[in-house]
Amino acid sequence: MLGELSGAAKFFLVTGYTDMRKSIDGLMAIVRDTYELDPYSNSLFLFCGRRCDRIKALHFEKDGFCLYYKRLDNGRFQWPRDSSEVRNLSRQEYRWLLEGLSIDQPKAIRPARKKDF
């Protein structure tokens, strides 16, 4: 289900550690009060605890909030722990994260430059 949330317009990842005991109201307060973002927007907000084997995602649909929880049986999520901030993710980075890859992938192909003929 979490991988199928491509209907969200934006994906936001909250770096650092989040208390995974928090539910909808607690996570909504973090989004609104700490990062001054609108939790009612068409966005998916991702949170991760210290163990890195489980994430929570908060998403507002037309009639209320959905809280998604994913726990890995093997492995860990490659979660950025630089500082406590919100990072905007592309759809590709979101997919990498759910597949267990780092969202800071090196570019395989460099963009082409305009050539003079």
Side-chain angles (χ1 to χ4, degrees), residues 24 39-40 58-68:
I24 291 173
Y40 293 94
L58 183 67
H59 181 255
F60 183 76
E61 291 184 346
K62 296 176 184 176
D63 57 354
F65 281 97
C66 292
L67 181 63
Y68 300 96

Side-chain angles (χ1 to χ4, degrees), residues 36-97:
E36 298 178 356
L37 294 171
D38 181 14
Y40 293 94
S41 65
N42 186 19
S43 300
L44 182 74
F45 299 94
L46 298 162
F47 305 88
C48 186
R50 290 191 183 275
R51 295 174 63 176
C52 296
D53 66 342
R54 54 198 77 189
I55 59 173
K56 284 188 176 181
L58 183 67
H59 181 255
F60 183 76
E61 291 184 346
K62 296 176 184 176
D63 57 354
F65 281 97
C66 292
L67 181 63
Y68 300 96
Y69 184 77
K70 182 171 182 173
R71 184 187 74 195
L72 297 176
D73 287 336
N74 295 317
R76 295 173 166 242
F77 291 104
Q78 301 296 316
W79 204 264
R81 302 292 186 179
D82 300 337
S83 62
S84 196
E85 63 182 10
V86 170
R87 183 170 171 178
N88 194 357
L89 296 180
S90 67
R91 290 188 186 281
Q92 179 71 37
E93 290 170 330
Y94 172 70
R95 194 171 74 238
W96 284 337
L97 180 71

Side-chain angles (χ1 to χ4, degrees), residues 6-55:
S6 59
K10 292 185 178 181
F11 300 92
F12 291 103
L13 181 140
V14 177
T15 64
Y17 303 104
T18 301
D19 182 357
M20 295 305 279
R21 296 174 292 179
K22 293 188 182 296
S23 62
I24 291 173
D25 294 332
L27 297 175
M28 187 175 74
I30 291 172
V31 170
R32 184 189 60 223
D33 301 336
T34 305
Y35 300 108
E36 298 178 356
L37 294 171
D38 181 14
Y40 293 94
S41 65
N42 186 19
S43 300
L44 182 74
F45 299 94
L46 298 162
F47 305 88
C48 186
R50 290 191 183 275
R51 295 174 63 176
C52 296
D53 66 342
R54 54 198 77 189
I55 59 173

Side-chain angles (χ1 to χ4, degrees), residues 102-116:
S102 172
I103 59 174
D104 297 320
Q105 294 287 320
K107 302 288 183 199
I109 301 173
R110 294 184 189 141
R113 293 184 191 176
K114 188 176 180 180
K115 296 180 181 179
D116 295 325

